[in-house]
Amino acid sequence: MMLQDVSRAPAEQGRFQVHRDRSTMTQLAVLAAAAIAAFWMFPNDLSFLARVICLAIFVMSLDLVLGFCGIATLGHAALYGIGGYAAGILAVSGGIAQPFVLLACGMIAGAVAGALSGVIIARHRILTQIVVSIALVQLTAAAANKASWLTGGSDGLSGISPGPVFGAEFDIYGRTAYWLAVAILLVVFVLLRRLVRSPFGLLCQAIESDPVRVEAMGAKVRPTLIAMYAISGAVAGLAGALAAITAGVVALDSVSFERSAEALVMLILGGTGTLMGGVLGTVLFQIAEHILSALNPFHWLTSMGVLLVVVILTLPGGIQSIGAQFVQWIKHARWGARRDV
Protein backbone atom coordinates (compact mmCIF):
# COMPACT_ATOMS: atom_id res chain seq x y z
CA MET A 1 0.00 0.00 0.00
CA MET A 2 2.85 2.35 0.91
CA LEU A 3 4.65 1.55 -2.35
CA GLN A 4 1.48 2.28 -4.33
CA ASP A 5 1.11 5.67 -2.64
CA VAL A 6 4.73 6.52 -3.39
CA SER A 7 4.29 5.53 -7.03
CA ARG A 8 1.19 7.70 -7.30
CA ALA A 9 2.91 10.75 -5.81
CA PRO A 10 4.81 11.87 -8.95
CA ALA A 11 1.70 11.48 -11.10
CA GLU A 12 -0.45 13.43 -8.63
CA GLN A 13 2.23 16.09 -8.36
CA GLY A 14 2.33 16.36 -12.15
CA ARG A 15 -1.45 16.74 -12.35
CA PHE A 16 -1.33 19.42 -9.66
CA GLN A 17 1.37 21.27 -11.59
CA VAL A 18 -0.71 21.11 -14.78
CA HIS A 19 -3.72 22.43 -12.85
CA ARG A 20 -1.67 25.34 -11.50
CA ASP A 21 -0.33 26.17 -14.95
CA ARG A 22 -3.85 26.10 -16.39
CA SER A 23 -5.05 28.36 -13.60
CA THR A 24 -2.30 30.88 -14.35
CA MET A 25 -2.99 30.79 -18.08
CA THR A 26 -6.73 31.19 -17.46
CA GLN A 27 -6.22 34.25 -15.28
CA LEU A 28 -3.74 35.65 -17.76
CA ALA A 29 -6.26 35.20 -20.58
CA VAL A 30 -8.95 36.92 -18.49
CA LEU A 31 -6.66 39.90 -17.85
CA ALA A 32 -5.73 40.16 -21.53
CA ALA A 33 -9.37 39.90 -22.65
CA ALA A 34 -10.42 42.54 -20.12
CA ALA A 35 -7.65 44.86 -21.34
CA ILE A 36 -8.74 44.49 -24.96
CA ALA A 37 -12.39 45.03 -24.04
CA ALA A 38 -11.55 48.13 -21.98
CA PHE A 39 -9.56 49.58 -24.88
CA TRP A 40 -12.57 49.40 -27.21
CA MET A 41 -15.20 50.33 -24.61
CA PHE A 42 -13.40 53.32 -23.08
CA PRO A 43 -11.19 54.83 -25.82
CA ASN A 44 -11.34 58.27 -24.20
CA ASP A 45 -10.25 57.07 -20.76
CA LEU A 46 -7.04 55.25 -21.62
CA SER A 47 -4.89 57.53 -19.46
CA PHE A 48 -7.12 56.78 -16.47
CA LEU A 49 -6.98 53.05 -17.22
CA ALA A 50 -3.17 53.19 -17.45
CA ARG A 51 -3.13 54.79 -14.00
CA VAL A 52 -5.36 52.01 -12.68
CA ILE A 53 -2.96 49.39 -14.07
CA CYS A 54 0.02 51.09 -12.41
CA LEU A 55 -1.81 51.00 -9.09
CA ALA A 56 -2.73 47.33 -9.65
CA ILE A 57 0.95 46.44 -10.03
CA PHE A 58 1.68 48.44 -6.89
CA VAL A 59 -1.04 46.60 -4.92
CA MET A 60 0.36 43.25 -6.10
CA SER A 61 3.73 44.28 -4.67
CA LEU A 62 1.99 44.94 -1.34
CA ASP A 63 0.36 41.51 -1.55
CA LEU A 64 3.80 39.91 -1.73
CA VAL A 65 4.75 41.12 1.75
CA LEU A 66 1.33 41.23 3.41
CA GLY A 67 -0.52 38.31 1.86
CA PHE A 68 2.38 35.88 1.47
CA CYS A 69 4.72 36.93 4.31
CA GLY A 70 2.40 38.42 6.88
CA ILE A 71 4.36 41.69 7.10
CA ALA A 72 1.99 44.43 8.24
CA THR A 73 2.91 47.69 6.54
CA LEU A 74 1.26 51.04 5.99
CA GLY A 75 4.25 52.62 4.33
CA HIS A 76 4.57 50.76 1.07
CA ALA A 77 3.98 53.95 -0.92
CA ALA A 78 7.52 54.98 -0.03
CA LEU A 79 8.85 52.30 -2.41
CA TYR A 80 6.32 53.26 -5.08
CA GLY A 81 7.22 56.93 -4.88
CA ILE A 82 10.96 56.32 -4.77
CA GLY A 83 10.71 54.34 -8.00
CA GLY A 84 8.71 57.13 -9.60
CA TYR A 85 11.09 59.84 -8.47
CA ALA A 86 14.14 57.84 -9.57
CA ALA A 87 12.74 57.46 -13.09
CA GLY A 88 11.54 61.07 -13.18
CA ILE A 89 14.84 62.54 -12.02
CA LEU A 90 16.76 60.42 -14.50
CA ALA A 91 14.47 61.65 -17.29
CA VAL A 92 14.41 65.35 -16.31
CA SER A 93 17.90 65.90 -14.90
CA GLY A 94 19.72 63.10 -16.69
CA GLY A 95 18.13 63.62 -20.08
CA ILE A 96 17.33 59.91 -20.47
CA ALA A 97 14.22 59.27 -22.56
CA GLN A 98 14.36 55.50 -23.18
CA PRO A 99 11.30 54.12 -21.34
CA PHE A 100 12.81 50.75 -20.47
CA VAL A 101 15.90 52.39 -18.98
CA LEU A 102 13.64 54.54 -16.83
CA LEU A 103 11.65 51.49 -15.76
CA ALA A 104 14.84 49.63 -14.87
CA CYS A 105 16.00 52.63 -12.84
CA GLY A 106 12.73 52.65 -10.92
CA MET A 107 13.01 48.92 -10.25
CA ILE A 108 16.55 49.21 -8.92
CA ALA A 109 15.69 52.18 -6.72
CA GLY A 110 12.64 50.38 -5.36
CA ALA A 111 14.62 47.19 -4.70
CA VAL A 112 17.34 49.06 -2.81
CA ALA A 113 14.77 51.00 -0.79
CA GLY A 114 12.87 47.78 -0.12
CA ALA A 115 15.97 45.97 1.09
CA LEU A 116 16.97 48.83 3.40
CA SER A 117 13.50 49.28 4.86
CA GLY A 118 13.06 45.51 5.06
CA VAL A 119 16.09 45.26 7.32
CA ILE A 120 14.29 47.55 9.77
CA ILE A 121 10.73 46.26 9.41
CA ALA A 122 11.60 42.54 9.47
CA ARG A 123 13.06 42.94 12.97
CA HIS A 124 9.60 43.55 14.43
CA ARG A 125 6.11 42.08 14.37
CA ILE A 126 2.57 43.34 13.66
CA LEU A 127 1.94 46.62 15.52
CA THR A 128 5.58 47.65 15.62
CA GLN A 129 5.87 46.95 11.90
CA ILE A 130 2.91 49.21 11.21
CA VAL A 131 4.34 52.06 13.29
CA VAL A 132 7.81 51.74 11.75
CA SER A 133 6.41 51.60 8.20
CA ILE A 134 4.32 54.73 8.81
CA ALA A 135 7.41 56.52 10.12
CA LEU A 136 9.41 55.49 7.03
CA VAL A 137 6.81 56.73 4.55
CA GLN A 138 6.40 60.01 6.44
CA LEU A 139 10.17 60.54 6.44
CA THR A 140 10.30 59.77 2.73
CA ALA A 141 7.51 62.27 2.01
CA ALA A 142 9.24 64.94 4.12
CA ALA A 143 12.56 64.36 2.34
CA ALA A 144 10.89 64.58 -1.08
CA ASN A 145 9.19 67.82 -0.07
CA LYS A 146 12.38 69.37 1.31
CA ALA A 147 14.46 68.46 -1.74
CA SER A 148 12.26 70.59 -3.99
CA TRP A 149 15.27 71.54 -6.10
CA LEU A 150 15.43 67.91 -7.22
CA THR A 151 11.91 66.53 -6.82
CA GLY A 152 9.81 69.64 -7.41
CA GLY A 153 8.44 69.51 -3.87
CA SER A 154 4.71 70.09 -3.50
CA ASP A 155 4.51 71.18 -7.15
CA GLY A 156 5.60 67.76 -8.34
CA LEU A 157 8.30 66.68 -10.76
CA SER A 158 7.08 67.52 -14.24
CA GLY A 159 8.62 67.55 -17.69
CA ILE A 160 9.02 63.77 -18.04
CA SER A 161 9.02 63.06 -21.77
CA PRO A 162 9.67 59.39 -22.53
CA GLY A 163 10.80 58.31 -25.96
CA PRO A 164 8.92 55.92 -28.25
CA VAL A 165 8.30 52.29 -27.36
CA PHE A 166 9.26 50.11 -30.32
CA GLY A 167 8.54 53.07 -32.59
CA ALA A 168 5.21 54.00 -30.96
CA GLU A 169 5.19 57.56 -29.62
CA PHE A 170 3.37 58.57 -26.44
CA ASP A 171 0.30 60.49 -27.59
CA ILE A 172 -2.30 62.61 -25.83
CA TYR A 173 -4.85 59.83 -26.12
CA GLY A 174 -2.75 57.50 -23.97
CA ARG A 175 -2.73 54.55 -26.38
CA THR A 176 0.97 53.79 -26.11
CA ALA A 177 0.96 54.32 -22.35
CA TYR A 178 -2.03 52.01 -21.98
CA TRP A 179 -0.62 49.11 -23.98
CA LEU A 180 2.77 49.47 -22.31
CA ALA A 181 1.06 49.27 -18.91
CA VAL A 182 -0.99 46.24 -20.01
CA ALA A 183 2.09 44.40 -21.27
CA ILE A 184 4.00 45.08 -18.05
CA LEU A 185 1.02 43.99 -15.94
CA LEU A 186 0.76 40.65 -17.74
CA VAL A 187 4.50 39.97 -17.50
CA VAL A 188 4.67 40.93 -13.83
CA PHE A 189 1.60 38.84 -13.03
CA VAL A 190 3.08 35.69 -14.59
CA LEU A 191 6.48 36.20 -12.93
CA LEU A 192 4.97 36.82 -9.50
CA ARG A 193 2.72 33.76 -9.83
CA ARG A 194 5.80 31.66 -10.49
CA LEU A 195 7.62 33.34 -7.61
CA VAL A 196 4.98 32.66 -4.97
CA ARG A 197 4.71 29.02 -6.10
CA SER A 198 8.47 28.47 -6.05
CA PRO A 199 10.24 26.95 -3.01
CA PHE A 200 11.17 30.48 -1.96
CA GLY A 201 7.54 31.61 -2.16
CA LEU A 202 6.33 28.54 -0.27
CA LEU A 203 8.90 29.27 2.43
CA CYS A 204 7.52 32.80 2.74
CA GLN A 205 4.01 31.42 3.13
CA ALA A 206 5.23 29.01 5.80
CA ILE A 207 6.81 31.94 7.65
CA GLU A 208 3.52 33.78 7.43
CA SER A 209 1.74 30.79 9.00
CA ASP A 210 4.23 29.92 11.76
CA PRO A 211 7.61 31.72 11.81
CA VAL A 212 8.70 30.00 15.04
CA ARG A 213 8.31 26.51 13.60
CA VAL A 214 10.06 27.51 10.36
CA GLU A 215 13.00 28.89 12.30
CA ALA A 216 13.10 25.74 14.45
CA MET A 217 13.41 23.73 11.25
CA GLY A 218 16.62 25.61 10.42
CA ALA A 219 15.34 28.06 7.80
CA LYS A 220 16.44 31.68 7.89
CA VAL A 221 13.33 33.72 8.60
CA ARG A 222 14.60 37.28 8.66
CA PRO A 223 16.84 37.08 5.53
CA THR A 224 13.93 35.50 3.65
CA LEU A 225 11.59 38.31 4.65
CA ILE A 226 14.18 40.93 3.68
CA ALA A 227 14.65 39.26 0.29
CA MET A 228 10.90 39.24 -0.36
CA TYR A 229 10.65 42.85 0.77
CA ALA A 230 13.38 43.77 -1.72
CA ILE A 231 11.51 41.94 -4.51
CA SER A 232 8.33 43.70 -3.48
CA GLY A 233 10.21 47.00 -3.56
CA ALA A 234 11.40 46.27 -7.09
CA VAL A 235 7.81 45.65 -8.23
CA ALA A 236 6.55 48.75 -6.42
CA GLY A 237 9.40 50.81 -7.92
CA LEU A 238 8.50 49.49 -11.37
CA ALA A 239 4.88 50.56 -10.82
CA GLY A 240 6.01 54.01 -9.69
CA ALA A 241 8.31 54.44 -12.67
CA LEU A 242 5.56 53.27 -15.02
CA ALA A 243 3.16 55.80 -13.48
CA ALA A 244 5.76 58.55 -13.95
CA ILE A 245 6.27 57.62 -17.60
CA THR A 246 2.59 57.33 -18.45
CA ALA A 247 1.52 60.48 -16.58
CA GLY A 248 4.60 62.59 -17.32
CA VAL A 249 4.74 63.83 -13.72
CA VAL A 250 5.53 62.53 -10.23
CA ALA A 251 3.36 64.10 -7.55
CA LEU A 252 4.23 64.33 -3.88
CA ASP A 253 1.22 62.22 -2.95
CA SER A 254 2.95 59.21 -4.54
CA VAL A 255 4.97 58.87 -1.31
CA SER A 256 2.14 59.77 1.05
CA PHE A 257 0.62 57.74 3.85
CA GLU A 258 -2.76 58.09 2.12
CA ARG A 259 -1.45 56.22 -0.93
CA SER A 260 -0.31 53.38 1.32
CA ALA A 261 -3.68 53.23 3.08
CA GLU A 262 -5.54 53.20 -0.25
CA ALA A 263 -3.37 50.33 -1.46
CA LEU A 264 -4.19 48.37 1.67
CA VAL A 265 -7.92 48.98 1.18
CA MET A 266 -7.67 47.86 -2.47
CA LEU A 267 -5.90 44.68 -1.41
CA ILE A 268 -8.48 43.88 1.27
CA LEU A 269 -11.31 44.49 -1.19
CA GLY A 270 -9.80 42.10 -3.70
CA GLY A 271 -8.42 39.51 -1.31
CA THR A 272 -4.95 38.94 0.09
CA GLY A 273 -2.55 36.18 -0.86
CA THR A 274 -3.82 35.69 -4.41
CA LEU A 275 -2.23 38.43 -6.59
CA MET A 276 -5.38 38.46 -8.73
CA GLY A 277 -7.21 39.87 -5.73
CA GLY A 278 -4.95 42.91 -5.82
CA VAL A 279 -5.86 43.56 -9.45
CA LEU A 280 -9.60 43.09 -8.87
CA GLY A 281 -9.58 45.23 -5.73
CA THR A 282 -7.74 48.04 -7.49
CA VAL A 283 -10.19 48.05 -10.40
CA LEU A 284 -13.20 48.02 -8.06
CA PHE A 285 -11.82 50.78 -5.83
CA GLN A 286 -10.79 53.06 -8.69
CA ILE A 287 -14.08 52.67 -10.56
CA ALA A 288 -16.07 53.24 -7.38
CA GLU A 289 -13.97 56.29 -6.52
CA HIS A 290 -14.36 57.64 -10.05
CA ILE A 291 -18.15 57.28 -10.00
CA LEU A 292 -18.87 58.18 -6.36
CA SER A 293 -16.62 61.24 -6.31
CA ALA A 294 -18.40 62.54 -9.41
CA LEU A 295 -21.82 61.99 -7.83
CA ASN A 296 -20.91 63.40 -4.42
CA PRO A 297 -17.48 65.09 -4.19
CA PHE A 298 -17.78 65.79 -0.45
CA HIS A 299 -19.09 62.51 0.97
CA TRP A 300 -17.88 59.85 -1.45
CA LEU A 301 -15.53 58.42 1.19
CA THR A 302 -18.58 57.50 3.28
CA SER A 303 -19.96 55.44 0.42
CA MET A 304 -16.55 53.84 -0.06
CA GLY A 305 -16.48 52.91 3.62
CA VAL A 306 -19.89 51.28 3.35
CA LEU A 307 -18.69 49.31 0.31
CA LEU A 308 -15.62 48.11 2.22
CA VAL A 309 -17.70 46.99 5.21
CA VAL A 310 -20.17 45.13 2.98
CA VAL A 311 -17.39 43.29 1.15
CA ILE A 312 -15.63 42.33 4.39
CA LEU A 313 -18.84 41.02 5.99
CA THR A 314 -20.15 39.13 2.96
CA LEU A 315 -16.87 38.10 1.31
CA PRO A 316 -14.12 37.60 3.93
CA GLY A 317 -11.79 36.41 1.20
CA GLY A 318 -12.38 39.49 -0.96
CA ILE A 319 -14.15 39.74 -4.28
CA GLN A 320 -11.75 37.22 -5.80
CA SER A 321 -13.47 34.54 -3.68
CA ILE A 322 -16.82 35.02 -5.44
CA GLY A 323 -16.00 32.34 -8.01
CA ALA A 324 -14.91 29.82 -5.38
CA GLN A 325 -18.01 30.46 -3.26
CA PHE A 326 -20.23 30.07 -6.32
CA VAL A 327 -18.61 26.71 -7.12
CA GLN A 328 -19.11 25.60 -3.51
CA TRP A 329 -22.75 26.64 -3.68
CA ILE A 330 -23.23 24.60 -6.87
CA LYS A 331 -21.62 21.56 -5.25
CA HIS A 332 -23.82 21.82 -2.17
CA ALA A 333 -26.90 22.25 -4.35
CA ARG A 334 -26.03 19.13 -6.37
CA TRP A 335 -25.28 17.13 -3.23
CA GLY A 336 -28.59 18.21 -1.72
CA ALA A 337 -30.43 17.19 -4.88
CA ARG A 338 -28.78 13.75 -4.85
CA ARG A 339 -29.72 13.20 -1.22
CA ASP A 340 -33.33 14.12 -1.95
CA VAL A 341 -33.38 11.57 -4.75
Side-chain angles (χ1 to χ4, degrees), residues 57-58 61 76-91 96 98-115 184 229-245 250:
I57 298 173
F58 171 49
S61 73
H76 217 61
L79 310 179
Y80 175 80
I82 286 174
Y85 274 116
I89 292 172
L90 184 63
I96 303 298
Q98 222 296 324
F100 294 108
V101 174
L102 299 179
L103 292 174
C105 178
M107 284 186 63
I108 294 173
V112 173
I184 293 177
Y229 213 94
I231 296 173
S232 174
V235 178
L238 173 64
L242 180 61
I245 292 174
V250 183

Side-chain angles (χ1 to χ4, degrees), residues 34-97:
I36 296 173
F39 177 79
W40 291 107
M41 294 173 62
F42 308 101
N44 298 323
D45 298 315
L46 296 181
S47 297
F48 169 73
L49 295 177
R51 176 178 177 272
V52 172
I53 293 173
C54 295
L55 291 176
I57 298 173
F58 171 49
V59 175
M60 284 197 298
S61 73
L62 176 61
D63 198 14
L64 287 179
V65 295
L66 180 61
F68 293 95
C69 294
I71 299 178
T73 173
L74 272 172
H76 217 61
L79 310 179
Y80 175 80
I82 286 174
Y85 274 116
I89 292 172
L90 184 63
V92 175
S93 301
I96 303 298

Side-chain angles (χ1 to χ4, degrees), residues 258-310:
E258 290 77 11
R259 180 58 52 85
S260 298
E262 284 183 356
L264 182 60
V265 171
M266 295 176 199
L267 183 57
I268 294 174
L269 280 175
T272 60
T274 61
L275 294 179
M276 178 60 82
V279 178
L280 297 177
T282 303
V283 173
L284 175 63
F285 183 91
Q286 291 299 314
I287 292 177
E289 178 184 3
H290 192 67
I291 296 175
L292 295 176
S293 61
L295 295 175
N296 193 336
F298 301 102
H299 301 94
W300 69 272
L301 280 174
T302 303
S303 303
M304 188 65 69
V306 172
L307 174 63
L308 179 61
V309 171
V310 170

Side-chain angles (χ1 to χ4, degrees), residues 5-158:
D5 293 339
V6 171
S7 64
R8 290 174 184 171
E12 293 178 356
Q13 184 177 5
R15 286 195 295 269
F16 181 63
Q17 180 65 34
V18 171
H19 173 72
R20 293 196 310 179
D21 293 340
R22 288 179 178 176
S23 175
T24 301
M25 295 305 298
T26 300
Q27 295 184 2
L28 187 66
V30 170
L31 289 176
I36 296 173
F39 177 79
W40 291 107
M41 294 173 62
F42 308 101
N44 298 323
D45 298 315
L46 296 181
S47 297
F48 169 73
L49 295 177
R51 176 178 177 272
V52 172
I53 293 173
C54 295
L55 291 176
I57 298 173
F58 171 49
V59 175
M60 284 197 298
S61 73
L62 176 61
D63 198 14
L64 287 179
V65 295
L66 180 61
F68 293 95
C69 294
I71 299 178
T73 173
L74 272 172
H76 217 61
L79 310 179
Y80 175 80
I82 286 174
Y85 274 116
I89 292 172
L90 184 63
V92 175
S93 301
I96 303 298
Q98 222 296 324
F100 294 108
V101 174
L102 299 179
L103 292 174
C105 178
M107 284 186 63
I108 294 173
V112 173
L116 295 177
S117 58
V119 170
I120 302 174
I121 294 177
R123 293 174 59 91
H124 309 285
R125 297 291 297 172
I126 313 300
L127 292 178
T128 308
Q129 287 178 342
I130 295 176
V131 174
V132 171
S133 64
I134 293 175
L136 290 176
V137 73
Q138 296 286 31
L139 288 173
T140 304
N145 190 29
K146 289 292 184 181
S148 57
W149 56 274
L150 183 64
T151 63
S154 58
D155 295 330
L157 180 63
S158 58

